[in-house]
Amino acid sequence: MSVAIVEGPAILIGYTYRLDLEAEAPLFPEMADIIAQVRLKPSATDILATLTTADGTLMRQSDCLLSLVIPAPDTANFEPGSVVLDMARVDVRPALPLGFFLEIPVMLPVTRGLS
């Protein structure tokens, strides 16, 4: 597996996080059912958030573009440091990992506690 480090936005605790992922290959076909689990580290048993195409937290934009959203109630439970996630297509058997891994920094925002 090759590794590429790309800078992007950090997750701010208590705020909704949005990120667009663009792949060189068509990883996100029109009828794909995709799930991502957010964990503290790959070996962690606790799932901090689950993102799916079914609930709209993963949104296919094209065969090569996917938008992800981690809702504020989920990020409110994160701690400063980082979280990891990868994705799998579950509309095929066996489930198919999409072949990438994200580690996203998590930061405590200065402006917080707003309702």
Side-chain angles (χ1 to χ4, degrees):
M1 173 174 25
S2 63
V3 175
I5 297 175
V6 179
E7 290 192 29
I11 295 170
L12 297 177
I13 296 171
Y15 287 90
T16 298
Y17 180 75
R18 291 178 174 81
L19 183 67
D20 288 338
L21 300 172
E22 188 170 11
E24 292 179 5
L27 295 180
F28 317 116
E30 190 167 350
M31 299 310 289
D33 188 10
I34 302 170
I35 292 180
Q37 293 178 336
V38 180
R39 297 177 190 259
L40 188 57
K41 57 186 180 178
S43 62
T45 56
D46 292 338
I47 299 169
L48 302 175
T50 299
L51 313 176
T52 70
T53 49
D55 71 6
T57 51
L58 297 175
M59 296 164 285
R60 178 196 175 275
Q61 306 298 332
S62 74
D63 286 352
C64 295
L65 183 64
L66 185 81
S67 298
L68 72 83
V69 175
I70 304 175
D74 289 330
T75 70
N77 296 319
F78 293 4
E79 295 188 9
S82 65
V83 295
V84 296
L85 69 90
D86 63 8
M87 294 181 192
R89 280 188 57 188
V90 293
D91 59 309
V92 295
R93 295 289 177 250
L96 177 66
L98 295 184
F100 62 87
F101 171 88
L102 300 175
E103 182 173 4
I104 306 170
V106 178
M107 298 172 52
L108 188 63
V110 174
T111 304
R112 59 185 181 266
L114 308 173
S115 337

